[in-house]
């Protein structure tokens, strides 16, 4: 059998004039377990002390490896709970995070919104992982349909970190969009997007006034705020009816 990814990496380290730092070797070992499927998505990674025993490196080395893998998006660390293997999905090119009301106004059209749901919820396991918070923490949930000249063009299903935006539920989202409000309270320093083609549920088709077979575009987005200590502000699910809306972006070097 051929050598594993880990064995090849360590062999290259030994052949190199400058050996790889120990934390890099630990990262290789952990990545090997993730990519081989031994540590699947949402798998709880052993504690730092357990990893010290498993890999034979110092706790400081293990800690740095875990921190860097978390920054790279391979792991999710939840204070007081543990470290978990993150869900790895295909990524689209970065899109601008625009206010839909401004987009519609720029076309000379009229925007209005309908608030379908606005309430506090308790984070379940998956939501806690997504926000990197403890299970049972408070989140705010809003479901809002946006209209262009009276026609629904986007369904916004949003969760908000109550610790970062405590007054979210007190806002009138028929007068200001969640995007505009959140940008003023917690300026974005980082964002991620996952884009998929979907068929919507019966309830979603009713809100958007479309058939269930109408193709739609789904944008899943998370955004962070803060510089010294970044926190996830919001996780939002944006559904666009394919025949009514087009997403456009550009990249420049």
């Amino acid at each position: 059998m051929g050598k594993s990814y880990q064995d090849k990496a360590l062999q290259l380290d030994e052949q190199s004039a400058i050996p790889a730092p120990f934390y890099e070797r630990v990262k290789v070992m952990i990545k090997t377990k993730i990519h081989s499927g031994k540590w699947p998505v949402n798998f709880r990674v052993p504690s730092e002390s357990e990893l010290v025993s498993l890999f034979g490196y110092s706790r400081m080395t293990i800690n740095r490896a875990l921190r860097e893998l978390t920054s790279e998006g391979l792991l999710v660390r939840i204070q007081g709970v543990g470290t978990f293997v993150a869900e790895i999905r295909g990524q689209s090119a970065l899109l601008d995070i625009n206010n839909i009301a401004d987009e519609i106004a720029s076309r000379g059209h009229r925007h209005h919104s309908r608030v379908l749901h606005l309430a506090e919820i308790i984070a379940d396991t998956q939501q806690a992982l997504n926000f990197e918070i403890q299970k049972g923490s408070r989140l705010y949930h809003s479901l809002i349909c946006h209209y262009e000249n009276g026609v629904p063009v986007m369904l916004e299903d949003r969760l908000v970190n109550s610790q970062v935006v405590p007054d979210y539920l007190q806002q009138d989202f028929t007068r200001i969009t969640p995007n505009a409000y959140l940008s003023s309270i917690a300026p974005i320093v980082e964002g991620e997007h996952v884009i998929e083609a979907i068929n919507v549920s019966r309830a979603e088709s009713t809100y958007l006034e479309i058939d269930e077979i109408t193709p739609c575009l789904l944008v899943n987005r998370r955004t962070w705020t803060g510089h010294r200590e970044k926190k996830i502000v919001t996780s939002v699910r944006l559904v666009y009816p394919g025949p009514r809306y087009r997403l456009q972006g550009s990249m420049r070097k």
Side-chain angles (χ1 to χ4, degrees), residues 194-198 216-220 236-240 247:
V194 180
I195 301 177
E196 304 173 65
I198 63 165
C216 293
L217 194 63
L218 169 65
V219 177
N220 281 307
V236 62
R237 185 175 182 272
L238 306 173
V239 181
Y240 300 86
L247 292 176

Side-chain angles (χ1 to χ4, degrees), residues 100-101 104 111-114 144-148 151-156 173 177-178 208:
I100 189 170
I104 292 173
H111 167 269
H112 83 274
S113 60
R114 178 185 169 202
I144 298 172
C145 194
H146 296 271
Y147 297 76
E148 182 169 354
V151 178
V153 292
M154 185 180 83
L155 185 63
E156 174 187 339
F173 291 121
T177 65
L208 291 168

Side-chain angles (χ1 to χ4, degrees), residues 12-21 25:
L12 288 174
D13 290 344
E14 292 168 359
Q15 294 173 349
S16 173
I18 303 176
R25 298 189 182 193

Side-chain angles (χ1 to χ4, degrees), residues 127-221:
Q127 291 163 345
L129 285 170
N130 287 342
F131 276 84
E132 301 176 9
I133 57 177
Q134 292 187 3
K135 179 181 177 181
S137 298
R138 293 184 304 130
L139 293 172
Y140 297 142
H141 177 225
S142 60
L143 182 64
I144 298 172
C145 194
H146 296 271
Y147 297 76
E148 182 169 354
N149 287 348
V151 178
V153 292
M154 185 180 83
L155 185 63
E156 174 187 339
D157 190 353
R158 184 183 295 273
L159 292 174
V160 175
N161 190 334
S162 66
Q163 297 177 13
V164 180
V165 193
D167 295 330
Y168 186 77
L169 296 183
Q170 280 67 59
Q171 308 312 306
D172 181 356
F173 291 121
T174 63
R175 300 177 64 86
I176 184 172
T177 65
N179 176 282
Y181 175 69
L182 292 171
S183 296
S184 67
I185 299 298
I188 295 168
V189 298
E190 183 179 335
E192 68 176 17
H193 308 263
V194 180
I195 301 177
E196 304 173 65
I198 63 165
N199 289 322
V200 294
S201 66
R202 179 175 297 179
E204 291 171 329
S205 68
T206 299
Y207 295 142
L208 291 168
E209 300 176 14
I210 58 176
D211 295 328
E212 289 182 59
I213 62 172
T214 301
C216 293
L217 194 63
L218 169 65
V219 177
N220 281 307
R221 174 184 296 156

Side-chain angles (χ1 to χ4, degrees), residues 27 47 49 238:
K27 287 172 64 178
S47 66
S49 59
L238 306 173

